[in-house]
Amino acid sequence: MSAPAATAAWSAIRAIALNTFREAIRDRILYLLLVFALLLIGASRLLSMLTVGSEDKIIKDLGLSAISVFGVLTAVFVGVSIVFKEIEKRTVFTLLSCPVRRWHFIAGKYAGLLSVLGLIVVVMSGALCALLALRGEAFLPLLPAILLIFFELAMVTAFAILFSTLTNPMLAALWTFVAYVVGHLTWSLELLQARMPEGPGRVLCDVLYTVLPNLEWLNVRGEAVRGALPATEHLIGASAYGVCYALAVLVVACMVFERKEFI
Amino acid sequence: MSVMSPRPESSGSRAADPGSAAIRIRGLAKAFPGHLGIGRKVALPGLDLDVPSGEIFGLLGPNGAGKTTTLKLLLGLLRPDAGEIEVFGLPHTAAEARARLGFLPENPYFYDYLTAEEFLDFYGRLHGLDASERGDRVQRALRRVGMEGRGKTPLRQCSKGMVQRVGLAQAIQHDPQLVILDEPMSGLDPIGRRQVRDLIQELKAEGKTVFFSSHILQDAELLCDRIAILEKGSLRFSGALRELLPSQIRGFEVTLRGANLENLPAEHLWAGEEETTLLVADAVELERLLAECRSRELLVVSIWQRRESLEDLFLRELGQEPGGES
């Protein structure tokens, strides 16, 4: 790509990302989800009182789960309609009549939504860390887990955008949830593969294990709650896996959108 | 029905020079899957069209004629099955070609969570305008569409007419050489329509090419240098409007008032309680009728020249004229 083309691409992607960010942060649903998440983090203090001796673990566990679950809900509910709405309301007609390539549009939408998710993760993590700091607890061991939650959200968002280019929001949400659930069960394929005899079944397990998302690899919440830090190699490997997998899904989304006809 | 010009511009006085064509379409074909994916429904069998630079060009036709399909193909929203489209000599999908055009869709809906200024700023960014010039351009574009001082209005609070104007501002703010408008008068009140007409003529005066689709024939007749009429995807008619609509008078409608209106030398058109309107074919017959009126002491209320309108031409070409060949 030539320098002027790269500048134009960057300018278009940034403009679309900013517009997507504006759209999301001016949407009341986002605030509703955020308030629920913050309430849950706050309530974890109350729930921890019901147990003996492990209050901080419960606060950390519930807090990290709230960040993950509400992040995923935002990624799914905002992500699945993000492309569909532009097509349905025909705003994409004027947008694509500008010197904007179709992949700029997908990349811009993705970057905008990821910025919103980044902001949400920062706000929720800030609330959780503040709660722990008030109790005199260390919150630094939580940061790697939070980083990997963000990369998990990046993968889920890429799936949401891909399905948004293919179908209506309802089906796109369903398929994104399926991808999320499958992503957390992929580890079982590895177990199954180890127990299977040599043959096509084992090859199939191997292929599925390689191709399907492995979101459990990005889950280090257990260690974080115990106050342990994940190995640096794991942190780097899992982060790189999240980024590469999200990019691969996004490339497929761009290819689907490139072939789309706006009848 | 006769096809006056099976190929573009053959009836026009100015043959389009490919070097000066803002839009050049050759053999453009598009078909869509039929019901339940069975068969193919041909929308455009093979369209040839030239839109010369610096003119106002109207793409006309009844619903389902292929106007919107042509515009979508031109904008790259649909992929042609065959044929080619050039914008200022460039492939229509090239970024350089897109940078030189502005587009307003029919019945536009825009991001209602933005204000008019934010919306125009967004499109300015997409056209690669610098931050330093975007502010000025936004205000200038708003002024041109009669929205001065309303830039902070959220689009969700704008009427349909205001949204249409903001859409027009979006289409012209980056100073494009080609402005493509899909039904630009749709949803506008008479004042808004007049403003849009004036704006289109201003754009032409600035040397821009305006290519618009419309089914409001009066607007097309007032504005267009050149028109094309599509029917079922085929070009029925194309050429310069001033040649397609001859300026010679096709008759006179004379409205009279008086008692003795029997057996006047004219065709009877309409009769009211007090007034009667008659039609004569030419100036000689008019003079004869007026002489008769004077002799019978009839009052001549009005005399109107009758010329062929674009609507007459349109209906005749589509075989819709009462008694017309179909």
Side-chain angles (χ1 to χ4, degrees), chain A residues 150-197:
Chain A
F150 179 72
F151 287 125
E152 180 186 7
L153 294 180
M155 288 171 70
V156 174
T157 305
F159 275 112
I161 297 240
L162 168 64
F163 293 130
S164 178
T165 62
L166 286 168
T167 185
N168 63 55
M170 192 100 87
L171 279 176
L174 182 69
W175 282 110
T176 310
F177 272 121
V178 167
Y180 177 73
V181 172
V182 166
H184 279 286
L185 297 175
T186 318
W187 58 270
S188 57
L189 284 168
E190 196 181 20
L191 288 181
L192 189 65
Q193 183 205 25
R195 291 180 187 184
M196 280 185 110

Side-chain angles (χ1 to χ4, degrees), chain B residues 95-274:
Chain B
E96 294 87 345
R98 301 280 181 82
R100 293 165 77 175
L101 68 85
F103 170 60
L104 172 72
E106 184 183 4
N107 298 323
Y109 169 89
F110 296 122
Y111 309 99
D112 61 5
Y113 51 88
L114 297 179
T115 66
E117 278 178 6
E118 286 172 339
F119 170 74
L120 294 176
D121 184 72
F122 170 50
Y123 275 85
R125 284 169 186 265
L126 293 179
H127 279 284
L129 300 177
D130 291 337
S132 56
E133 57 179 335
R134 281 203 304 272
D136 282 348
R137 295 236 190 185
V138 165
Q139 295 311 323
R140 206 183 316 151
L142 285 171
R143 206 162 40 240
R144 288 193 75 173
V145 297
M147 287 275 292
E148 194 173 13
R150 294 164 121 171
K152 306 280 184 219
T153 310
L155 293 180
R156 66 163 59 97
Q157 289 174 15
C158 287
S159 65
K160 195 178 173 190
M162 281 167 76
V163 170
Q164 184 88 348
R165 288 177 200 206
V166 174
L168 266 169
Q170 168 274 133
I172 61 169
Q173 68 162 337
H174 55 288
D175 201 22
Q177 288 167 275
L178 168 65
V179 181
I180 300 172
L181 310 169
D182 193 2
E183 301 285 357
M185 316 294 181
S186 173
L188 293 179
D189 58 21
I191 298 166
R193 280 173 62 178
R194 176 61 187 265
Q195 284 177 330
V196 172
R197 279 205 303 268
D198 290 347
L199 177 64
I200 289 174
Q201 274 165 338
E202 273 174 37
L203 291 170
K204 187 200 168 189
E206 290 166 13
K208 319 276 191 223
T209 309
V210 181
F211 181 59
F212 75 92
S213 79
S214 181
H215 60 257
I216 303 176
L217 298 176
Q218 292 89 336
D219 290 330
E221 189 172 347
L222 282 169
L223 284 169
C224 290
D225 296 307
R226 208 170 282 261
I227 61 155
I229 297 177
L230 285 181
E231 190 197 20
K232 293 177 184 163
S234 297
L235 191 68
R236 305 297 308 191
F237 195 90
S238 176
L241 200 55
R242 65 177 178 278
E243 292 183 7
L244 301 175
L245 296 181
S247 57
Q248 70 261 31
I249 295 156
R250 296 181 70 211
F252 295 91
E253 289 180 18
V254 183
T255 302
L256 304 170
R257 190 180 292 171
N260 184 10
L261 294 165
E262 298 297 316
N263 299 320
L264 284 166
E267 184 186 336
H268 196 91
L269 280 183
W270 174 85
E273 282 184 15
E274 293 183 351

Side-chain angles (χ1 to χ4, degrees), chain B residues 40-52:
Chain B
R40 304 275 287 169
K41 191 180 169 212
V42 176
L44 292 176
L47 178 68
D48 292 350
L49 194 70
D50 283 307
V51 178

Side-chain angles (χ1 to χ4, degrees), chain A residues 110 114 151-160 162-163 175-176 178-180 182-184 186 189 207-218 236-253:
Chain A
Y110 181 72
L114 211 57
F151 287 125
E152 180 186 7
L153 294 180
M155 288 171 70
V156 174
T157 305
F159 275 112
L162 168 64
F163 293 130
W175 282 110
T176 310
V178 167
Y180 177 73
V182 166
H184 279 286
T186 318
L189 284 168
V207 169
L208 287 176
Y209 182 70
T210 311
V211 172
L212 292 175
N214 187 350
L215 297 177
E216 273 303 303
W217 200 16
L218 286 87
I236 293 170
S239 303
Y241 172 76
V243 170
C244 292
Y245 201 101
L247 281 176
V249 175
L250 218 52
V251 166
V252 177

Side-chain angles (χ1 to χ4, degrees), chain A residues 8 11-24 26-28 85-86 88-102 105 109 256-263, chain B residues 30-33 72-73 75-81 93 95-96 98-99 101-115 118-119 121-123 125-129 156 170:
Chain A
S11 173
I13 291 169
R14 206 174 45 174
I16 294 165
L18 176 66
N19 191 40
T20 307
F21 185 82
R22 270 190 180 142
E23 180 180 6
R26 290 179 186 180
D27 193 336
R28 289 196 189 107
K85 217 157 57 180
E86 294 258 10
E88 189 72 2
K89 295 187 172 175
R90 294 181 297 163
T91 43
V92 76
F93 290 10
T94 36
L95 207 147
L96 293 179
S97 73
C98 299
V100 172
R101 301 279 302 274
R102 291 190 181 193
F105 175 78
K109 285 279 160 194
V256 170
F257 196 66
E258 194 67 44
R259 294 180 57 79
K260 202 166 189 72
E261 295 214 273
F262 301 98
I263 297 171
Chain B
K30 182 69 188 171
F32 296 105
K72 284 183 176 177
L73 286 162
L75 294 162
L77 300 169
L78 292 173
R79 274 190 308 280
D81 296 335
T93 49
E96 294 87 345
R98 301 280 181 82
L101 68 85
F103 170 60
L104 172 72
E106 184 183 4
N107 298 323
Y109 169 89
F110 296 122
Y111 309 99
D112 61 5
Y113 51 88
L114 297 179
T115 66
E118 286 172 339
F119 170 74
D121 184 72
F122 170 50
Y123 275 85
R125 284 169 186 265
L126 293 179
H127 279 284
L129 300 177
R156 66 163 59 97
Q170 168 274 133

